[in-house]
Amino acid sequence: MTNRRTRLLAAPLLALLALLAFAGPASASGESVGSCIAEKLEELIEESHGDLDEVLHELHVDTSIGDHFEKKCIEAPSPILPETNEIIWGGSAFLILFVLMVKKGFPAVRGAMDARAEKIRSDLDAAEQARVDAQSVQSDYEARLADAKTEASRLIDEGRADADQVRTGLIAQAEVDAAGIRERAASESAAATAQAISDLRAEVAGIALGAAERVVHASLDAEVQGRLIDAYIDEVAGTDG
Amino acid sequence: MADPRVAGYAEALFAVAAAEGDSSVVEDELFRFAQALRSDDDLGSTLADTGLPLARRLQVIEDLLGSRASAVTTALVSMVVGAGRAAELPAIVDAMVERGAASRNKTVATVRSAVDLTADQSERLAAAINTRTGRDVEVRVVIDPSVLGGVVTEIGDDIIDGSVRRRLNQLRESFR
């Protein structure tokens, strides 16, 4: 703050010095060249006691008088220092402006700057708080993300384990089913084979018995029938009750 | 003899046959006719068909038995058919035969054979059965071609099977 105030005070001083240093040439006494020449002419007229012809004559004869007028009226008194009245008025205005700036401008500027600084400080604090909050939220999010990743990994592992278990169970069941199917197929095949053998045997027996029956029927004439009856009677008689 | 009606008719037939003289002949003729009814479904259904006039059915009986059986036998069959009991005639005859044999202190032995037995064979078979079972029997022969050869004797619930059919069946079983 001190440096800033110093710079604020130095600025008008430097402006004053620049004004004094680069002030342009002014007329000799704040008058115009015409009035200066008129003043010199009045002085000559007074010296000639009011005789204008004499003055004109002198000016016509002695051309150096004109040159003297030009030097006296046209040459500026000082290229640096202004006229005294300008210094007075300018200094007064400067002092008034300086006092107003010190009394009113600087406090207002300082208050605005303080408010601005305070606002910036508050904004910085808010930004820091927001950053801290954001960092907290980020940490929270990261923690949640880590938890989610852990949970996802756990779920994946559980799912994989369940899938392996299911697959193992399905494979075991499939093996059991396949064994059952093979066993049933073997049993059915054996049963079918046995049935086929039985059917074939029955068929062969039927054919053989049919042939035997035809042979027997053809051979059963009256004599054979009589012998069969006699044999039966003998069998009944010879068998104990 | 579970059916009282069959038993009643059997008793009536036996009484008529006995009253007319030699009941054994009538029994034998009735027995053969009953076996013919068992083996011939058309004959049985014709005699049992009440839709046919009775005279027509009696004429069938006359045609079948008139020249082959005694008048008593024909009359008894006509009486049963006329009473509308043609379907029960085989059972009535069986009961009547049993009744006649019982009156002579004998048991009926139903003998099924592919051919008829001679009188000698019947006597020897009756003696053989007597020897085997101790029961005095009267042999009633039923001609059954399905027997093929040999004899099947039924005495009550006892069966003595000496047929060729049985031996063929045994042979069939042995193939299984």
Side-chain angles (χ1 to χ4, degrees), chain B residues 118-138:
Chain B
T118 63
D120 177 63
Q121 286 173 332
S122 295
E123 291 177 1
R124 286 193 291 118
L125 179 57
I129 293 171
N130 188 15
T131 302
R132 177 171 178 168
T133 65
R135 287 186 289 185
D136 198 4
V137 299
E138 290 182 359

Side-chain angles (χ1 to χ4, degrees), chain A residues 76-134:
Chain A
S78 174
I80 299 172
L81 293 176
E83 293 296 330
T84 303
N85 57 349
E86 290 183 358
I87 292 174
I88 292 171
W89 283 109
S92 299
F94 175 76
L95 288 177
I96 292 169
L97 183 60
F98 181 75
V99 169
L100 287 175
M101 289 294 291
V102 170
K103 293 295 184 180
K104 300 294 182 181
F106 285 162
V109 171
R110 186 173 58 190
M113 291 184 67
D114 290 344
R116 178 67 178 167
E118 185 64 26
K119 184 177 184 303
I120 291 172
R121 192 159 42 245
S122 175
D123 291 343
L124 288 175
D125 292 342
E128 179 65 16
Q129 184 62 37
R131 189 186 64 80
V132 171
D133 293 342

Side-chain angles (χ1 to χ4, degrees), chain B residues 47-153:
Chain B
L47 297 180
D49 186 4
T50 56
L52 289 176
L54 178 59
R56 176 75 178 275
R57 286 181 279 159
L58 295 178
Q59 184 61 47
V60 171
I61 295 169
E62 181 65 28
D63 294 341
L64 289 174
L65 298 178
S67 59
R68 298 185 181 87
S70 64
V72 176
T73 299
T74 303
L76 291 177
V77 171
S78 297
M79 185 270 289
V80 174
V81 172
R85 299 300 173 188
E88 290 88 352
L89 182 59
I92 293 171
V93 171
D94 288 344
M96 182 252 186
V97 171
E98 290 283 349
R99 173 67 180 85
S103 68
R104 295 182 288 274
N105 296 321
K106 292 184 178 179
T107 302
V108 175
T110 303
V111 174
R112 292 191 293 116
S113 174
V115 297
D116 198 2
L117 273 64
T118 63
D120 177 63
Q121 286 173 332
S122 295
E123 291 177 1
R124 286 193 291 118
L125 179 57
I129 293 171
N130 188 15
T131 302
R132 177 171 178 168
T133 65
R135 287 186 289 185
D136 198 4
V137 299
E138 290 182 359
V139 174
R140 301 293 181 186
V141 179
V142 177
I143 306 301
D144 186 359
S146 67
V147 175
L148 291 181
V151 176
V152 178
T153 302

Side-chain angles (χ1 to χ4, degrees), chain A residues 32-43:
Chain A
S32 65
V33 174
S35 62
C36 178
I37 292 172
E39 187 178 350
K40 293 302 180 183
L41 285 175
E42 286 178 356
E43 290 177 357

Side-chain angles (χ1 to χ4, degrees), chain A residues 29-30 37 42 60 85 93 146 152 159 168 184:
Chain A
S29 59
I37 292 172
E42 286 178 356
H60 183 72
N85 57 349
T168 303
R184 283 196 300 274

Side-chain angles (χ1 to χ4, degrees), chain A residues 201 209 213 225 230 232, chain B residues 124 148 153 160 172 175:
Chain A
R201 185 176 296 172
L209 288 171
E213 188 171 328
Q225 290 284 9
D230 292 340
Y232 174 81
Chain B
R124 286 193 291 118
L148 291 181
T153 302
I160 303 171
R172 188 187 306 275
F175 276 108

Side-chain angles (χ1 to χ4, degrees), chain B residues 1-11 85 87-89 91-92 95-96:
Chain B
M1 199 172 294
D3 191 344
R5 183 182 295 118
V6 171
Y9 275 95
E11 187 66 29
R85 299 300 173 188
E88 290 88 352
L89 182 59
I92 293 171
M96 182 252 186

